[in-house]
Each structure stands twice: as C-alpha cells, then as structure tokens.
Amino acid sequence: MQRLGIVDLGSGTSRLVVYLFEESKQFRLIDEIRESVRLGEGLASGNRLSAAGIERALSALKLYADFAQATELDHLRVIATSAARDADNGPEFMREVRKLGLDVRVLSGEDEARYGVLAVANSFVLGEAWVMDLGGGSAQLSRMSERRYRYGRAYPLGGVRLTEMFFKSDPPKKAEVEDLERFVRKEMKAVLEEVRGRPLPLVAMGGTVRNLAKLVQKQENYPVDLIHGFLLSKNHLEDLVERLLEHSTAERRDMEGLQTDRADVIAAGALVYRTVLRESGLQGLWISGQGVREGVFYEEFLPNPHLVPDVRGFGVHNLFSRYPQEYGHTVRVRHLCRQLFRALEPLHGYGKAEEQLLDEAALLHDIGMSVGYYDHHKHGEYLIMSAAIPGLTHREQALIGLLVRFHRKGEPKPGLYKSLLEDGDNKRLLRLATILRMTEYLERSRAGRVEGLEVEIGNKQVRIGLRAEEEPWVEIAETAKQSKLFQQAFGRELMLEWAR
C-alpha cells in the first residue's frame, strides 16, 4: 500500500489530499487540508500576483510540505493552475515555491481540461459529455468522447477574476451583471454554439459549482448529503442566482450551505454557469465531486490509458474492499440471490437493471459487520450512503442502501429517500429486499449447507426446495419466518422443504 499526496494550488483555494492505494486495485481518501489562498487576487487589474496572495500561497505550501514530511508520504505531487500560469510574475513565484523543496508542475489550460475529463471518465458512466471546470482564475470547457479527452480550452472566466473585473458594488448592480454576462458570451461564443448543436450531458466540477449545488440541496431539503452525481437544474440555478444577487457579501455568509470564503465570488461563478445553460439550451448540469486533483491521481493509480474498465463495478467493489467481513458467506448469498431472482422472474418481471442492484446489495449487505453485529444492517446503510459511489445515481445508491437496511428485518419502505425514487420503486424495493432477506436466511448457519434451489411457481404457492447433503433445519426454520413478507411481495404462499 502506498500513500500519495496531491497538492492543488488553485487561484482561489488550495488543497492537499492524501490517498491510500494498492496499485490498480483499490484506493481511499484518508486525509485532506484545505486553505483559502486567493492567489489570483489582483490578476484582473495588473496581471500580477499580489504580495498578499503570494504570502498566503507560500504559507499554505509550507504547511503541506511540513505535513508530507511529518507523515512520511510515499509520493507528493504539486500542481498549480491558472494564477501561477497567467501572472507576469508567475515564474518569480515558482522560484519561491521551489525553495520550499517542492517540485511544482504548472498546468497548461489544456492539462487542466484533460485531467478534468479523466476524473469524469472514471466517476460517471458516460462515454460522451461536455466537461466544465470553473475555478478562481479560469474556466475550462472540454469535449469527452468514448471516455477520452478530445479537445478543450481555458477561458479567463474564474470567479475571483470576474468579480474583480466587473463587480464594483456590493451587491452588484444590474449593469455590472449584464457586463459580466456579455463578456462570458463573447469569450465562449463558439464553443457554446457547438454545445447547442451537440446537446450532450454537461458535467461541471470545482468548488464553485459544488457549493451552488449544496445551496440548492439545502433549500430543497434534499434527502441525502451527496453532491457527486447531483443534477443541478437550470430552473434551480436561475432561482439561486437571483437570490445571490439580491444579497451583499456579508449577507451571503449567513446563507445555509455557503462556504464563507466563497461569499464574495460565488455570484460571478454562478452567472457563468447560468449563461452557459441559457446559451447552450441545456436544462441542467451534472455535478462532479471529483476534479483535476482526482485526474492527477488516476494518472498515477491506473495504467495507461488511466481508465477503470467498469466505473460502477469498480466503485461498488472499492467500497466493499474497505470493510472486513466473511467473504465466503457473501459469495454464497450472491449466488443464491441470482438463482432466486431468475427463478421468480415470471412473478416480478424485472431484468438486468434490478438484478444488478440486487447483486450489488448482496455484495455489500454485511459491510456493517465491520462496525458491530448488532444493527449491522443499519450500519451498512450508513456506510453505503455516507459518500457518493461513482457510477451510481442517487436513486440507485439509495435503493442499494435500503436493500442492505432491510436485509435482516423490518418492513421495506423508502423512508427519507422517498423523493429520490421513481414510480414502481416501492414494489421494486419490497421484492428485491424479500429475495435478499430470504437468501440471507438460506445461508443462516454461514456454513454453505444450501448448495442450490429448486423453485416451482404455482397459482397460489411457490415451492422452494433446498438442495443440501443433510437437512438444513436452521435455514428452513429461519427462512420460513419470512413467509408473510414473501406473500406481500409476490402474492403467493411460500413452501420450503429439503430437496434430498
């Protein structure tokens, strides 16, 4: 196992993230330090980094260097973006940085765009998309095709830069807002016409858009604390922009969900995104919780072309690998789940999508055991819902969490996740949870006594024969307790017997 630290020195904020990983297999984020540096402060007026911005950046980098030394990181990669790249005194600043013993790579605009696409390619199940990253100094808009970066460029549209250029009043005046929007349209005219002509999903990344999404989620009482994979609709963004423009910086700092160090620049960033949606004709944008830093990590973690073959499968298995459990039991439950799901297909009528959800829930059903036996079904749901799983929609992740929550007991209900689910999902949850629970009890002794199932579906009854070398009395007795749930899910009585 190795520990890789990545420092992303942005124009507005800087961050050190630390990953623990086994090459090309599993990884997890284990630490993070975030500092507001405002390195891009003053660029809009004189194209030079300010003395105060340089001092803040060097202080943050000294902090990261000391942390890396104290924790004996295996590797440390340091990248700098728009401010260091564009400023006339950028080379002078880099010389000061290197005196700290840090080997810094200043990314080109295309480098930033390429790493952003790499992050999206490894965290969304999309082959074709537009990818946008807006930071403090610049914004990148790129085309992803067949999960690879095709082209893109950087634009001088960062939140810090635009705030300095256009907002002289607080809150900004209507004329200032119009001037900013006019500038965005002029800078991005050609690419936005292309987006309109090729209306693919737009995935947006960076601290600005994540904070915008968080504000909308707070306002709408979104049921889960997940940003990655959230669809920020054009209508919600329009409403939020108007709300931001009505308030001063001081007033914005009191808005629930808003990071206080973004209060003065978030309106400018929001206006860029609003203009992009208006001009492109798109109805919303997908939020990425990953960005340039993760793109750099994937380059280190994965062999060329730095792509996981199956984003969803990798995300689920990466979660599974973090929590010790009885692997043989999990394998057997998955096997029995597949058998029972397919045998009951005439009653439920589901296909590959539901089978995949059930299989993922069967894989993860016991991860809560790493916390403790009692209530491990609840612990498992918490672990599944505590962070976004790349490749899953919030609906799919909620369904898996619910299946794990009800794999032992309780009446399967959507609870607080109700608003995430679709028509038919209540019945889908009931039926899949019934199958998972039955197979959990068909493996009740955790000894693998039930080797297979013989299922016969009648007009009023379903007979399930348990193939086993000796009578699996525990399994029959425990599974029979789920007869009422089975009747509710499938409209048939349940009969269990030993198939000699």
Side-chain angles (χ1 to χ4, degrees), residues 3-150:
R3 289 174 303 134
L4 169 65
I6 299 172
V7 173
D8 178 6
L9 180 61
S11 302
T13 61
S14 66
R15 198 181 307 255
L16 164 67
V17 294
V18 181
Y19 289 98
L20 179 69
F21 71 97
E22 184 177 353
E23 189 172 356
S24 301
K25 293 184 179 179
Q26 291 89 32
F27 70 92
R28 58 191 174 99
L29 179 69
I30 61 171
D31 215 331
E32 177 184 77
I33 303 177
R34 177 186 182 275
E35 296 288 309
S36 177
V37 294
R38 291 294 173 89
L39 181 60
E41 183 180 79
L43 270 179
S45 57
N47 207 44
R48 292 182 62 82
L49 304 176
S50 68
I54 289 175
E55 183 178 353
R56 288 191 296 267
L58 290 175
S59 177
L61 291 171
K62 184 177 180 181
L63 173 70
Y64 302 148
D66 185 60
F67 180 89
Q69 183 179 23
T71 57
E72 298 181 335
L73 292 181
D74 296 298
H75 306 283
L76 181 66
R77 293 186 63 176
V78 185
I79 57 172
T81 54
S82 174
R85 176 175 70 239
D86 296 340
D88 291 339
N89 58 340
E92 176 186 333
F93 169 61
M94 283 295 105
R95 285 195 292 273
E96 293 301 313
V97 171
R98 292 186 175 101
K99 289 179 182 178
L100 299 174
L102 298 174
D103 184 15
V104 185
R105 178 186 173 194
V106 179
L107 301 184
S108 67
E110 186 172 17
D111 287 335
E112 283 192 72
R114 182 171 57 84
Y115 281 127
V117 167
L118 192 57
V120 170
N122 284 306
S123 59
F124 283 84
V125 286
L126 294 171
E128 310 289 322
W130 297 102
V131 178
M132 185 169 177
D133 183 4
L134 186 147
S138 67
Q140 291 77 41
L141 185 58
S142 312
R143 173 78 162 87
M144 182 177 78
S145 178
E146 297 179 339
R147 297 183 66 205
R148 286 172 170 79
Y149 171 80
R150 295 306 179 191

Side-chain angles (χ1 to χ4, degrees), residues 221-224 226 350 357 381 385 393-403 405-406 411-433:
N221 293 316
Y222 198 66
V224 293
L226 302 175
Y350 298 142
L357 282 170
E381 177 200 1
M385 299 306 297
T393 65
H394 292 183
R395 167 189 169 267
E396 290 165 339
Q397 190 164 339
L399 281 170
I400 293 171
L402 287 166
L403 290 172
R405 167 66 177 82
F406 294 109
E411 182 181 353
K413 292 182 179 180
L416 62 88
Y417 307 124
K418 182 178 180 180
S419 64
L420 296 176
L421 303 188
E422 299 174 354
D423 290 344
D425 276 348
N426 285 1
K427 178 66 75 173
R428 190 171 282 107
L429 170 64
L430 173 63
R431 288 172 169 172
L432 298 183

